[in-house]
Amino acid sequence: MERLDLPPDVVIRRLPLYARSLRYLQDEGIQFISSHGLGTRINVTAAQIRKDLSYFGEFGKQGIGYNVNKLLAHIEHILGLSKEWLMVLAGVGHLGQAIVRYEGFGSRGVRLVGIFDNDPAKVGQVIEDLPILPDEDLARVIHELGVKIAVVAVPASHAQSIVDTMVAAGIRAILNYAPVVLRVPDGICVRYIDPITALHSMTYYLAQEEDKRRSQTP
Amino acid sequence: MERLDLPPDVVIRRLPLYARSLRYLQDEGIQFISSHGLGTRINVTAAQIRKDLSYFGEFGKQGIGYNVNKLLAHIEHILGLSKEWLMVLAGVGHLGQAIVRYEGFGSRGVRLVGIFDNDPAKVGQVIEDLPILPDEDLARVIHELGVKIAVVAVPASHAQSIVDTMVAAGIRAILNYAPVVLRVPDGICVRYIDPITALHSMTYYLAQEEDKRRSQTP
């Protein structure tokens, strides 16, 4: 029985973790897994997994667990990964180059079809079979190919203006590496990849630990 | 009046965004900012900012707003950024090299002091003044220098074992780029930098949009 309420974003964010873990199980040749077994691999309780999946239907059988292949196919379908989404990248500095070369991005569901930089010295260079195009071509490529996903790896000062261009041309989902919060219209999905912010939220806990240790030392 | 309850992690994760935004304001020469003005820069409501900051004391004056320099210094102190934390990196592939070269990491509060790889061909190469050391030296360097933070940029298959080594040697906070969920003892802080998972959670919404559009077309 399918639930009628919409899954919250936090559930949608966990589904790719389930899918990745199921892919690893597939690679190991494992055919069935319990919700408990799947949970221990991703630090989620069995109850949480069952609750998350209940938004999308009934999976798994009492005593047998989940069929790895079937559950993976189902989750990939839910995540829209049974088709291929085209993606562009803006900003081909050190970070952008690492992104282009990162095999993960060539994986399922997503394909990088255009890379862009505003540095004339970089335009025309080829990375992993993709020629670097000038920013002026960005809107045209997005529009002509029907690209929906963009990766932003430009400097912070340049990010908002290039995102405005992208959204006007038809981009609906943005993976943002620039260290700045973007303003986008309703309905545009943005995810932030922000290692410095992540680091600076961990130093809080390190400082707390040091304070505690110091106050305990006589 | 300081609140007695502990700030939840979601608040701790927002503080670095406030700090970054205040640094940009500082660069622009702005001395005072209202909670509303700060909020619009990071898509957070004024009420949320006031609530978040109330965990740590009283800031800002009615009608004047926050003193940018003072609030920034205060937040950096809360985040433990008034001292410098040492950091090591494991895995100097394309991604690891981009991390070493990323100026952001050289910024406040954190300093990369050792980079490690298990590829003998890489050991001894120098990137941004840091020689690549073999994995065998990892535990010794962490221990001798009192390093508390590690960045993990090794392949998924190698991540858990290197993290076990790191934690045993004294690492307390891990920024993990490997596409795998890590098992760590209680008290060890882990943040995930996971672009593929972020992408795969956005394709869900893109697929929903397409379904809706298709069902609306007669």
Side-chain angles (χ1 to χ4, degrees):
Chain A
M1 198 182 64
E2 212 142 329
R3 292 174 61 160
L4 290 171
D5 41 341
L6 282 172
D9 188 52
V10 64
V11 173
I12 301 306
R13 284 169 178 263
R14 270 195 294 266
L15 290 184
L17 295 177
Y18 298 161
R20 189 172 67 196
S21 202
L22 289 165
R23 266 178 233 122
Y24 288 144
L25 287 166
Q26 226 177 22
D27 293 346
E28 294 168 32
I30 294 169
Q31 290 185 299
F32 290 91
I33 184 105
S34 65
S35 47
H36 178 75
L38 186 57
T40 50
R41 288 175 166 250
I42 42 185
N43 294 343
V44 171
T45 64
Q48 184 71 68
I49 292 180
R50 288 194 296 266
K51 192 172 164 227
D52 285 355
L53 294 180
S54 75
Y55 283 100
F56 308 100
E58 281 233 2
F59 308 93
K61 279 192 185 134
Q62 196 70 38
I64 299 179
Y66 301 111
N67 177 310
V68 170
N69 290 341
K70 278 192 188 168
L71 182 59
L72 176 58
H74 212 103
I75 292 179
E76 289 187 336
H77 179 74
I78 293 165
L79 288 173
L81 297 175
S82 25
K83 67 165 276 185
E84 191 178 60
W85 300 92
L86 305 184
M87 185 168 75
V88 290
L89 164 77
V92 197
H94 288 306
L95 173 64
Q97 287 177 37
I99 292 169
V100 178
R101 294 200 172 98
Y102 180 40
E103 332 73 270
F105 277 107
S107 76
R108 71 195 48 250
V110 183
R111 186 157 59 94
L112 194 58
V113 292
I115 61 177
F116 299 83
D117 203 286
N118 69 352
D119 178 356
K122 281 187 190 150
V123 170
Q125 287 180 30
V126 177
I127 302 180
E128 301 282 316
D129 295 335
L130 288 167
I132 302 179
L133 301 173
D135 281 1
E136 294 77 54
D137 293 356
L138 183 57
R140 184 181 54 76
V141 169
I142 291 169
H143 189 74
E144 283 182 6
L145 299 182
V147 180
K148 295 283 178 247
I149 306 179
V151 182
V152 174
V154 301
S157 57
H158 191 41
Q160 185 62 52
S161 74
I162 207 147
V163 163
D164 292 343
T165 302
M166 288 168 164
V167 170
I171 288 294
R172 303 291 299 165
I174 295 166
L175 190 67
N176 180 39
Y177 284 84
V180 64
V181 175
L182 299 172
R183 289 180 302 278
V184 293
D186 281 352
I188 308 292
C189 190
V190 181
R191 302 285 196 222
Y192 293 90
I193 303 292
D194 193 342
I196 304 302
T197 296
L199 272 179
H200 285 180
S201 71
M202 292 197 292
T203 51
Y204 169 81
Y205 295 102
L206 295 177
Q208 293 285 307
E209 275 189 352
E210 287 222 333
D211 281 358
K212 206 184 285 177
R213 198 165 32 241
R214 211 172 289 129
S215 72
Q216 281 166 351
T217 316
Chain B
M1 199 183 64
E2 213 143 329
R3 293 172 62 160
L4 289 173
D5 40 342
L6 283 172
D9 189 53
V10 64
V11 172
I12 302 306
R13 284 169 179 264
R14 270 196 294 267
L15 289 183
L17 295 177
Y18 297 160
R20 189 173 67 195
S21 202
L22 290 164
R23 267 177 233 122
Y24 288 145
L25 287 166
Q26 226 177 24
D27 292 345
E28 295 168 32
I30 293 168
Q31 291 184 299
F32 291 91
I33 184 105
S34 65
S35 47
H36 178 76
L38 186 57
T40 50
R41 289 175 165 250
I42 41 184
N43 294 342
V44 171
T45 64
Q48 184 71 67
I49 293 181
R50 288 194 297 266
K51 193 174 163 225
D52 285 354
L53 294 179
S54 75
Y55 283 100
F56 308 99
E58 283 232 2
F59 307 91
K61 280 194 182 133
Q62 196 71 37
I64 298 177
Y66 301 112
N67 177 311
V68 169
N69 290 341
K70 278 192 188 165
L71 182 59
L72 175 57
H74 213 103
I75 291 178
E76 289 187 336
H77 179 74
I78 293 166
L79 288 174
L81 298 175
S82 27
K83 68 165 273 186
E84 191 178 59
W85 301 91
L86 305 186
M87 184 168 76
V88 290
L89 164 77
V92 197
H94 287 306
L95 173 65
Q97 287 177 37
I99 292 169
V100 179
R101 294 201 172 97
Y102 180 42
E103 327 75 90
F105 277 106
S107 76
R108 70 194 48 250
V110 183
R111 186 157 59 94
L112 192 58
V113 292
I115 61 179
F116 299 84
D117 203 285
N118 69 352
D119 178 357
K122 281 186 191 151
V123 169
Q125 285 179 31
V126 177
I127 302 180
E128 301 281 316
D129 296 335
L130 288 167
I132 301 178
L133 302 174
D135 282 2
E136 294 76 57
D137 293 356
L138 183 58
R140 185 183 52 77
V141 170
I142 290 169
H143 188 74
E144 283 182 7
L145 300 181
V147 180
K148 295 283 178 249
I149 306 179
V151 181
V152 174
V154 301
S157 57
H158 191 40
Q160 185 62 51
S161 74
I162 207 146
V163 163
D164 292 343
T165 303
M166 288 168 164
V167 169
I171 289 294
R172 302 293 298 165
I174 295 166
L175 189 67
N176 179 38
Y177 284 82
V180 65
V181 175
L182 300 171
R183 288 180 300 278
V184 293
D186 281 351
I188 308 291
C189 191
V190 181
R191 302 285 195 222
Y192 293 90
I193 303 291
D194 194 341
I196 304 300
T197 296
L199 272 179
H200 285 180
S201 71
M202 293 198 291
T203 51
Y204 169 81
Y205 296 102
L206 295 176
Q208 293 285 308
E209 276 190 351
E210 287 222 333
D211 281 356
K212 206 184 286 178
R213 201 166 31 243
R214 211 172 288 130
S215 70
Q216 281 166 351
T217 316

